[in-house]
């Protein structure tokens, strides 16, 4: 999944769970059946899992553009300075 | 929301938290129910009324218990536990309660009933105070929920009394 896809997945998950919570509570209350509430909610959780957890293609519509290998070789990686790190951690 | 496991964990945690909130609201919805139960107990017969060898009074009664407790049930009720207690006063104690009979009502359909039975549990006093004693019979109930708060209440029926002499 790309970054936009992750945000979309999280939003879909939250909205679907809340909607199913309200729907299942309403169904259970009106029918007078606690079991009906639990069944509808369990079905809702399963459905939400199937939609938001696997890596579906529609979550990958803004894929990350990685740098080409040929372009990367033109710009060498910066060197890390070793001496400065020791002083800061002693305190 | 980075990986499969991360998303699954987030979803399950959120789902369970919302479920807990739904259970709290379900329990609160029980307060909307205003019950109107009714009950009547007749003492059909005093089987025997003796002094035990150790010295305490004991009585065995046959009762006809009839009640309509259907209005106690809500969608969030698992079962209703009821018991009948005899309550009386003695010189030593301002309140004595002796449980005589109990039952579990599992569903609304069974909540309107009558039953003729002797006391399930022995009606024994601490002492020899029962001759000619006036007592109340109280029907207590506990409404046990599927989730949340349990409600308990009672109906007090007065005017019963035991014979003056042992039978």
């Amino acid at each position: 999944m790309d970054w936009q896809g992750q945000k979309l997945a999280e939003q879909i998950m939250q909205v679907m769970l809340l909607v199913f919570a309200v729907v299942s509570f309403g169904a259970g209350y009106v029918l007078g059946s606690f079991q009906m509430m639990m069944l509808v909610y369990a079905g809702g959780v399963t459905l939400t899992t199937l939609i938001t957890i696997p890596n579906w293609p529609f979550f990958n519509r803004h894929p990350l553009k990685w740098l080409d290998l040929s372009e990367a070789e033109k710009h060498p990686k910066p060197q890390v300075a070793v001496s400065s790190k020791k002083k800061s951690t002693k305190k | 929301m980075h990986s499969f496991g991360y998303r699954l964990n987030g979803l399950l945690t959120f789902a369970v938290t919302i479920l807990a909130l739904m259970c709290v609201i379900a329990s609160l919805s029980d307060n909307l129910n205003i019950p109107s139960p009714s009950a009547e107990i007749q003492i059909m017969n005093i089987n025997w009324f003796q002094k035990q060898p150790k010295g305490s009074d004991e009585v065995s009664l046959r009762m006809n218990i009839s009640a309509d407790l259907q209005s106690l049930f809500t969608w969030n009720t698992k079962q209703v536990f009821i018991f009948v207690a005899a309550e009386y006063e003695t010189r030593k104690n301002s309140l004595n309660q002796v449980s005589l009979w109990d039952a579990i009502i599992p569903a609304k359909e069974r909540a309107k009933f009558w039953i003729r039975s002797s006391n399930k549990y022995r009606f024994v006093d601490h002492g020899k105070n029962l001759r000619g004693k006036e007592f109340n019979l109280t029907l207590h109930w506990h409404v046990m929920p599927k989730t949340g708060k349990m409600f308990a209440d009672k109906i007090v029926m007065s005017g019963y009394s035991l014979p003056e002499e042992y039978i």
Side-chain angles (χ1 to χ4, degrees), chain A:
Chain A
M1 267 189 208
D2 57 56
W3 303 117
Q4 297 280 33
Q6 286 174 17
K7 182 174 165 189
L8 183 64
E10 182 169 358
Q11 283 175 336
I12 292 179
M13 182 264 283
Q14 287 169 342
V15 167
M16 278 187 76
L17 283 182
L18 282 172
V19 164
F20 267 103
V22 171
V23 164
S24 67
F25 189 88
Y29 190 75
V30 162
L31 293 173
S33 166
F34 201 87
Q35 192 178 32
M36 187 50 69
M37 176 176 94
M38 296 304 285
L39 285 175
V40 171
Y41 188 63
V45 170
T46 313
L47 187 65
T48 309
T49 309
L50 287 174
I51 291 181
T52 62
I53 303 295
N55 203 357
W56 299 116
F58 65 84
F59 286 127
N60 217 7
R61 282 184 291 203
H62 305 269
L64 294 164
K65 292 206 192 87
W66 294 104
L67 204 54
D68 278 341
L69 191 55
S70 54
E71 192 64 36
E73 277 169 359
K74 289 182 194 169
H75 308 275
K77 281 188 189 169
Q79 295 297 317
V80 177
V82 178
S83 53
S84 62
K85 272 193 179 172
K86 268 193 179 172
K87 275 186 192 171
S88 55
T89 53
K90 277 272 180 172
K91 281 189 185 169

Side-chain angles (χ1 to χ4, degrees), chain B residues 138-163:
Chain B
T138 313
L139 179 71
H140 296 251
W141 59 82
H142 291 316
V143 180
M144 297 174 170
K146 292 194 170 111
T147 110
K149 181 170 184 274
M150 182 173 84
F151 294 85
D153 205 350
K154 60 187 181 187
I155 292 180
V156 180
M157 289 158 277
S158 51
Y160 305 91
S161 57
L162 290 170

